[in-house]
Amino acid sequence: MQFNILPLKDTDYEEVLCNWWKDWRWTAPPKDFLPEKGTGGFMIYIDDTPVVAGYLYNTNSGVAWVDFIISNFHYKNKENRMIAIDMLLKALEERAIALNKKFLYALTKHESLIATYKVNDYVASGVYNIELIKKL
């Protein structure tokens, strides 16, 4: 079994990620809502199977925002999926360091993802109740 980290391709949004969001009963964010129009992140593969993906928003401050972490609903090996999520968070962190960022920010309600963030030295700073987005 081989884990591989690849940058997201332009086709990953339509061919993979939208299906994953649908499988998890989430609304896919519009492609132009995502960093670099959907390519600003990584996909983790186990052998040839895409397992998890996520994004890094670059800001004009010392903060980079990790978001839209999503997994392949049909990949059922939970242990390998957790390893892949951990690899993804480390890859996003490495990109943030390369961008000279001082902080990573993440926002989630998913308990097992929160636990993985904490293992990777994220510290809870508060609890949120609602996300608000205005389309212009």
Side-chain angles (χ1 to χ4, degrees):
M1 170 178 351
Q2 172 125 7
F3 288 80
N4 295 305
I5 303 170
L6 295 175
L8 287 167
K9 302 178 303 237
D10 187 55
T11 56
D12 286 333
Y13 177 83
E14 289 89 3
E15 294 176 4
V16 178
L17 300 176
C18 284
N19 293 321
W20 288 1
W21 281 306
K22 183 180 177 184
D23 289 342
W24 285 105
R25 294 179 181 86
W26 296 349
T27 301
K31 193 172 187 178
D32 58 356
F33 189 86
L34 298 167
E36 299 174 42
K37 296 182 182 175
T39 62
F42 297 100
M43 179 94 71
I44 309 297
Y45 292 80
I46 299 177
D47 297 324
D48 294 327
T49 302
V51 177
V52 298
Y55 291 90
L56 185 74
Y57 286 86
N58 187 10
T59 72
N60 64 356
S61 69
V63 176
W65 184 352
V66 175
D67 208 348
F68 293 106
I69 305 298
I70 185 76
S71 67
N72 181 341
F73 182 84
H74 301 286
Y75 186 84
K76 297 301 182 185
N77 185 317
K78 291 182 182 183
E79 182 179 335
N80 285 346
R81 182 176 24 216
M82 294 308 295
I83 292 168
I85 291 170
D86 188 70
M87 290 177 67
L88 173 64
L89 293 180
K90 285 176 173 43
L92 294 170
E93 179 177 339
E94 287 175 15
R95 177 175 278 177
I97 290 168
L99 293 168
N100 296 314
K101 297 302 176 179
K102 305 293 182 218
F103 306 95
L104 285 174
Y105 175 81
L107 185 67
T108 187
K109 291 182 181 180
H110 191 276
E111 290 298 324
S112 79
L113 186 54
I114 290 169
T116 304
Y117 278 119
K118 287 181 177 180
V119 165
N120 282 279
D121 300 322
Y122 285 71
V123 176
S125 63
V127 177
Y128 76 97
N129 293 319
I130 190 166
E131 291 179 14
L132 299 168
I133 298 170
K134 181 176 182 178
K135 183 176 178 182
L136 302 177

